[in-house]
């Protein structure tokens, strides 16, 4: 059966700010409390969506979540009017106020894990919203993520949207940032590849010492069960704990896959040889051979990979069958990475083009091109059954650019989070956005 892979890019929300809330994310910590530009961030993301759609890639928009999260603030004791809540939270717990204002849902690779209908037991596309319970500012995203996914994929004949896993460390789940699908074609059977950083019930398993491992093996196994995946076409692999301690908080910071290609750093996995063998054996069952593109440490050090987000790129199959690598501008500015990419494109391998974007607002907060998108492979029937109002077109692009210009600030500092006017602006923006996208009732803004 034929299918297309849609990239659902997160639309950056109007509260985009640099609060340094993500311990283990080097870029996020490096820019803590500096001024952000929400308008520029949103426009950079929209420019990427428009360009890829114009090149013929299937592209859609994932709307932002409502901020500030008054539900969180009131649950922990801040009361009174909305203005009272903001003022007291800023006075007594500014970090928690920053959590309530976080625009981190822009990184939709963390929104959910997706298994296309070709892989699942019931022939439906399955989604499980990620609980993201390792970080306070992300731990309630799954509530809106589930609601949004059900609005975008409402037909239960074609789609199954599961609730997030239990919010405990045993089932720590970070979504598609630790999941990749390999296949010959998007519509054919594939191999689903789950990476994890720790094993909750095995204290002898490899684990980082400095930064937290966010994805558990138990969570990955639970999602495979929920989605009804074939065990012969499902591979679980341990991340290298040493690279987690170097800032590789998700596997998509050190490896990316597409089709039958795995583009990865030699230090990505705890047991590289075992991972490659497992993938090769699983892919043999779908009549496909793995093409592994290995980047040696002596060519690109882990530090350079993390600083440039080389592997947090999008690997896309073009209409001619070759692949393009979508990279942030920072890759061109890192000497070792730029030199490697020049050789990669000239090598005659599957990647023959680089597409680069200025995503500095996202990059400064710790997210590159791959963080900004959720991949969803859909058949023609499923495309027809999904909500059409989020598919990127030139008309939608221009409408959203005008919307951003009307509602988004071009300068946001930590002290601005105490301004009740900002909360009103965010609410008004999302009310209008829900009308633009044809999604009435998407938000509970009461």
């Amino acid at each position: 059966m034929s299918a297309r892979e849609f990239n659902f890019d997160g639309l950056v929300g109007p509260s985009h700010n640099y609060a340094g809330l993500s311990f283990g994310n080097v870029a996020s910590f490096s820019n803590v409390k500096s001024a952000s530009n929400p308008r520029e961030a949103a426009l950079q993301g929209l420019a990427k969506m428009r360009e890829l759609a114009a090149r013929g890639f299937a592209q859609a928009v994932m709307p932002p979540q409502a901020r500030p999260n008054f539900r969180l603030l009131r649950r922990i004791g801040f009361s009174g009017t909305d203005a009272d809540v903001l003022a007291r939270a800023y006075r007594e717990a500014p970090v928690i106020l920053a959590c309530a204002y976080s625009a981190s849902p822009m990184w939709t690779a963390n929104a959910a894990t997706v298994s296309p209908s070709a892989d699942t037991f019931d022939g439906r596309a399955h989604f499980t919203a990620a609980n993201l319970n390792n970080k306070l500012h992300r731990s309630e995203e799954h509530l809106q993520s589930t609601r949004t996914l059900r609005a975008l994929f409402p037909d239960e004949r074609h789609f199954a949207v599961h609730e997030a896993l239990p919010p405990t460390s045993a089932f720590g789940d970070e979504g598609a940032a630790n999941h990749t699908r390999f296949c010959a074609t998007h519509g054919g059977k594939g191999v689903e590849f789950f990476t994890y950083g720790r094993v909750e019930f095995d204290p002898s398993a490899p684990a980082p010492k400095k930064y937290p491992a966010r994805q558990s093996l138990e969570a990955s196994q639970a999602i495979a069960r929920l989605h009804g995946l074939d065990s012969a076409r499902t591979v679980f692999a341990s991340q290298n704990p040493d690279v987690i301690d170097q800032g590789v908080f998700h596997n998509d910071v050190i490896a990316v896959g597409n089709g039958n290609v795995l583009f990865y750093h030699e230090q990505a996995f705890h047991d590289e040889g075992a991972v490659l063998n497992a993938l090769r054996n699983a892919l043999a069952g779908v009549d496909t051979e793995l093409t592994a593109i290995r980047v040696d440490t002596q060519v690109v050090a882990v530090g350079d990979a993390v600083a440039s987000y080389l592997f947090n790129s999008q690997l896309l199959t073009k209409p001619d069958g070759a692949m393009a690598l979508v990279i942030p501008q920072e890759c061109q500015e890192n000497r070792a990475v730029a030199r490697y990419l020049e050789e990669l494109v000239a090598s005659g391998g599957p990647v023959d083009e680089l597409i680069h974007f200025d995503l500095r607002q996202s990059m400064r907060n710790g997210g590159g091109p791959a963080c900004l998108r959720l991949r969803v492979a859909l058949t023609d029937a499923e495309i027809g059954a999904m909500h059409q109002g989020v598919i990127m077109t030139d008309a939608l692009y221009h409408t959203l650019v005008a919307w951003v210009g009307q509602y988004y600030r071009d300068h946001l500092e930590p002290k601005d989070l105490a301004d009740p006017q900002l909360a009103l602006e965010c609410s008004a923006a999302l009310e209008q956005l829900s009308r633009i996208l044809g999604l009435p009732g998407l938000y509970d803004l009461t």
Side-chain angles (χ1 to χ4, degrees), residues 87 92 107 177 193 215 248 338-339 341 344 421:
E92 298 179 11
W107 296 308
F193 179 51
Q215 183 83 23
V248 180
R339 183 169 55 246
L341 287 172
L344 175 67
Q421 184 60 34

Side-chain angles (χ1 to χ4, degrees), residues 65-212:
Q65 298 196 7
R67 294 293 181 268
N69 185 346
F70 281 112
R71 177 177 175 272
L72 168 64
L73 295 172
R74 293 183 185 280
R75 280 174 61 202
I76 58 175
F78 297 108
S79 58
T81 66
D82 287 352
D84 292 337
V85 168
L86 296 173
R88 186 177 174 190
Y90 182 71
R91 214 171 41 244
E92 298 179 11
V95 174
I96 295 178
L97 178 60
C99 290
Y101 257 117
S102 173
S104 54
M106 62 194 274
W107 296 308
T108 54
N110 301 119
T113 303
V114 184
S115 296
S117 54
D119 293 351
T120 65
F121 75 105
D122 62 1
R124 295 187 294 170
H126 283 245
F127 305 77
T128 297
N131 59 34
L132 300 170
N133 68 343
N134 189 263
K135 298 286 181 280
L136 173 62
H137 68 290
R138 307 210 67 178
S139 62
E140 293 202 347
E141 287 180 21
H142 67 91
L143 299 171
Q144 182 64 51
S145 293
T146 302
R147 184 171 178 151
T148 298
L149 289 168
R150 287 176 176 163
L152 298 183
F153 304 102
D155 191 336
E156 294 185 1
R157 293 172 300 174
H158 295 286
F159 311 113
V161 179
H162 303 278
E163 301 285 344
L165 299 178
T168 70
S169 62
F171 294 107
D173 176 29
E174 299 285 311
N178 288 312
H179 173 262
T180 303
R181 180 178 188 257
F182 298 97
C183 58
T185 64
H186 292 306
K189 292 186 181 299
V191 170
E192 302 213 11
F193 179 51
F194 295 83
T195 55
Y196 59 92
R198 61 184 176 82
V199 184
E200 177 75 10
F201 299 114
D202 182 2
S204 68
K209 297 180 176 61
K210 181 180 179 182
Y211 292 138

Side-chain angles (χ1 to χ4, degrees), residues 1-7 56-58 114-119 123-125 159 181 183-190 258-259 317-319 375-384 386:
M1 186 175 294
S2 64
R4 296 187 73 193
E5 183 180 78
F6 270 77
N7 283 283
F57 298 109
V114 184
S115 296
S117 54
D119 293 351
R124 295 187 294 170
F159 311 113
R181 180 178 188 257
C183 58
T185 64
H186 292 306
K189 292 186 181 299
N258 175 59
T317 302
K318 299 187 294 183
R375 293 182 286 188
V376 185
L378 298 167
T379 66
D380 291 343
E382 291 160 354
I383 293 170
M386 68 175 269

